[in-house]
């Protein structure tokens, strides 16, 4: 009877170990279906990895300090999860003569302008608003519209224009010729409240 008392618990323990081990193996073999979206390009994956960061490592997706990962890298992977990676882009801007360097996850100039609050329709942009922004970033100029006064033959016209004195004259419907005299050169950047006088010769 003593031997029975010894062997029964051992057998039960062995069975428990077998069950636990089986669960561990099954868990390790279980896969989760996830969608990985990297800068707009989606890939369907079936993975055993535990966290978002491990999935990114599996797919050789590296992220920097200006990139955005959702959910966070330490988030536990769940079946049906969508993992999004958006790369940051560096923009070097000249806004009315002021140099700025900013980072954005926008992929077009139009999106970036909206994020920065610089998307006024009457602003003049040195590149097309639909221009794609690559991971290498982009440089461009922004000239915001200014309230100016154009005076021709003593008749003053108030208008709002972006760019240069030449742009303001064009907005006023004025085309000077080579003999006419401008109070500023045509390529002078506009400033708020500027007064432009054109003397017709």
């Amino acid at each position: 009877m003593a031997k029975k008392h010894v062997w029964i618990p051992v057998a039960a323990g062995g069975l428990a170990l077998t069950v636990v081990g089986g669960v561990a193996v099954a868990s390790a073999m279980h896969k989760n279906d996830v969608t990985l979206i990297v800068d707009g390009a989606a890939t369907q994956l079936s993975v055993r990895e535990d966290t978002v960061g491990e999935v990114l490592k599996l797919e050789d997706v590296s992220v920097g300090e200006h990139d955005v990962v959702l959910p966070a890298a330490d988030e536990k992977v769940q079946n049906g999860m969508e993992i999004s990676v958006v790369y940051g882009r560096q923009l070097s801007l000249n806004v009315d003569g002021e140099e700025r360097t900013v980072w954005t996850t926008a992929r077009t100039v139009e999106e970036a302008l909206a994020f920065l609050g610089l998307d006024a329709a009457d602003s003049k942009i040195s590149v097309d608003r639909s221009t794609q922004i690559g991971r290498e970033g982009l440089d461009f100029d922004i000239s915001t519209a200014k309230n100016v006064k154009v005076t021709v033959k003593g008749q003053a016209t108030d208008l709002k224009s972006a760019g240069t004195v030449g742009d303001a004259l064009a907005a006023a419907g004025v085309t000077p010729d080579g003999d006419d005299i401008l109070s500023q050169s045509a390529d002078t950047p506009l400033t708020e409240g500027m007064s432009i006088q054109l003397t017709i010769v």
Side-chain angles (χ1 to χ4, degrees):
M1 291 298 292
K3 288 185 179 180
K4 284 188 177 180
H5 285 298
V6 171
W7 280 103
I8 289 175
V10 171
L15 178 60
L17 287 173
T18 302
V19 172
V20 172
V23 171
V25 171
S27 178
M29 293 297 290
H30 178 70
K31 288 187 176 182
N32 288 306
D33 294 326
V34 300
T35 302
L36 177 62
I37 305 174
V38 180
D39 243 17
T43 304
Q44 304 297 324
L45 301 173
S46 186
V47 299
R48 294 191 181 93
E49 279 60 33
D50 292 326
T51 66
V52 169
E54 290 174 357
V55 173
L56 297 181
K57 184 176 181 180
L58 175 71
E59 293 298 303
D60 292 325
V61 177
S62 58
V63 294
E65 63 176 313
H66 299 290
D67 304 328
V68 176
V69 179
L70 294 173
D74 59 356
E75 194 79 16
K76 186 174 178 61
V77 173
Q78 298 180 13
N79 193 50
M81 174 180 279
E82 184 175 284
I83 301 171
S84 178
V85 178
V86 185
Y87 293 121
R89 279 109 163 132
Q90 185 178 26
L91 301 180
S92 294
L93 308 178
N94 183 309
V95 183
D96 291 334
E98 179 185 345
E99 300 290 341
R100 300 185 192 178
T101 299
V102 297
W103 283 88
T104 180
T105 55
R107 294 199 292 272
T108 67
V109 169
E110 186 173 29
E111 290 175 355
L113 292 175
F115 289 154
L116 297 170
L118 295 170
D119 56 340
D122 54 5
S123 291
K124 186 176 181 180
I125 315 299
S126 62
V127 296
D128 194 276
R129 291 174 184 251
S130 63
T131 300
Q132 296 287 319
I133 305 173
R135 290 188 62 187
E136 70 279 4
L138 188 66
D139 301 353
F140 59 93
D141 302 332
I142 303 171
S143 176
T144 60
K146 312 293 190 303
N147 292 298
V148 299
K149 179 180 291 186
V150 177
T151 303
V152 182
K153 295 182 178 179
Q155 183 175 353
T157 301
D158 292 320
L159 55 86
K160 193 171 185 178
S161 180
T164 63
V165 167
D167 293 318
L169 292 175
V174 178
T175 305
D177 61 29
D179 294 331
D180 297 336
I181 300 173
L182 270 172
S183 55
Q184 300 92 353
S185 62
D187 60 356
T188 302
L190 295 175
T191 57
E192 183 66 24
M194 176 182 280
S195 180
I196 303 166
Q197 296 192 24
L198 173 64
T199 302
I200 304 296
V201 177

